[in-house]
Amino acid sequence: MIYENILSKTKKGKKQIALLIDPDKTDIQGVERLLETVNETPPDMVLVGGSLISDNTGDVAGLLRENVSVPVLLFPGSSMQVTPDADGILFLSLLSGRNPEFLVSHHVSSALVIKASGMEVISTGYILVDGGKVSSVEYMSNTRPVPSDKTDISVATAVAGEMMGMKMIYLEAGSGALMPVPEEMISGVKRNLSVPLVVGGGLNTEEKLLSALNAGADIVVVGNAFENKPELLKEYVAIVRNF
Ligand code: 1GP
């Protein structure tokens, strides 16, 4: 069970790192080039997804699933990215937004396909936080992010998500964020949560990665930094393992 493993590592205080591959930016050839690096220094999981509608999500996820030893989880921007070629799915509800499409509608559209696939479903409360520029998530979902100084709003949103039965909370500053989720917000949410806390968006230096871990992130997600420099995976995984 993927979630049980995540939970047990979280309870032991073992930090985890996820490599995010966006099929809109990384095609099959790009994934093939990454496989060796990923297998040399495996992260805890690989997430596949992005904000646009990619027609190659299934191919990218399938290729990864056949070639890497860690779980491959879908991280879909919409129900159109749902494919059976993965080990599991972060079943995301965009809790920071007030757009019913991303709170429940895509879920209804994809539920039976996901059920039939037998993949593991990890219900995840997704909270978009202002990362200093308009993110693809904000634009595509037509929702407003939580202002970066409004820790109380993120805490209340995260707690509501846990009360609704969500198994993880994900604080997202948006891919390529100029400012990652602030430490104060991460620690405020972490103090009030008992499910694993995922943090991502703009974690493109060792300092930013460390500050997210120090503040209380259980799982850090990195996309862009590896797309630009795959060799960084080794360094980032080492930071997380030695934390
Ligand atoms: C995952 O969207 C992020 O939460 C990924 O962000 O591409 O900036 O690492 P980066």
Side-chain angles (χ1 to χ4, degrees), residues 20 25 75 126 170 172 174-177 199-203 221-225:
L20 171 63
K25 298 182 191 153
F75 175 59
Y126 193 51
Y170 193 138
E172 167 72 272
S175 187
V199 176
L203 299 178
V221 182
V222 181
N224 263 316

Side-chain angles (χ1 to χ4, degrees), residues 18 20 22 25 47 49-51 75 126 128 135 137 170-178 181 198-204 220-227 236:
L20 171 63
D22 181 344
K25 298 182 191 153
L47 304 184
S51 293
F75 175 59
Y126 193 51
L128 180 63
S135 64
V137 181
Y170 193 138
L171 289 174
E172 167 72 272
S175 187
L178 301 177
V181 178
V198 186
V199 176
L203 299 178
N204 52 12
V220 282
V221 182
V222 181
N224 263 316
F226 298 148
E227 270 154 29
Y236 279 34

Side-chain angles (χ1 to χ4, degrees), residues 109-202:
S109 309
S110 57
L112 295 182
V113 174
I114 295 171
K115 191 174 168 68
S117 77
M119 74 172 80
E120 185 172 333
V121 177
I122 305 177
S123 158
T124 303
Y126 193 51
I127 300 176
L128 180 63
V129 178
D130 184 10
K133 65 174 192 182
V134 177
S135 64
S136 303
V137 181
E138 175 178 353
Y139 186 82
M140 295 302 289
S141 66
N142 203 11
T143 65
R144 297 179 73 184
V146 177
S148 58
D149 61 345
K150 303 285 185 205
T151 292
D152 51 351
I153 295 180
S154 285
V155 170
T157 309
V159 170
E162 186 175 343
M163 287 173 172
M164 287 192 276
M166 285 163 186
K167 292 178 172 168
M168 301 208 289
I169 294 295
Y170 193 138
L171 289 174
E172 167 72 272
S175 187
L178 301 177
M179 306 174 307
V181 178
E183 282 179 51
E184 192 191 317
M185 188 178 282
I186 299 173
S187 58
V189 169
K190 178 65 187 167
R191 270 198 304 279
N192 286 281
L193 208 62
S194 50
V195 296
L197 177 59
V198 186
V199 176

Side-chain angles (χ1 to χ4, degrees), residues 51 53 76-82 89-94 99-114 140-142:
S51 293
I53 300 156
S78 78
S79 52
M80 303 197 53
Q81 285 182 12
V82 171
I89 179 168
L90 299 189
F91 203 51
L92 303 165
S93 232
L94 183 53
N99 180 348
E101 291 290 315
F102 292 86
L103 281 163
V104 67
S105 187
H106 285 281
H107 313 67
V108 174
S109 309
S110 57
L112 295 182
V113 174
I114 295 171
M140 295 302 289
S141 66
N142 203 11

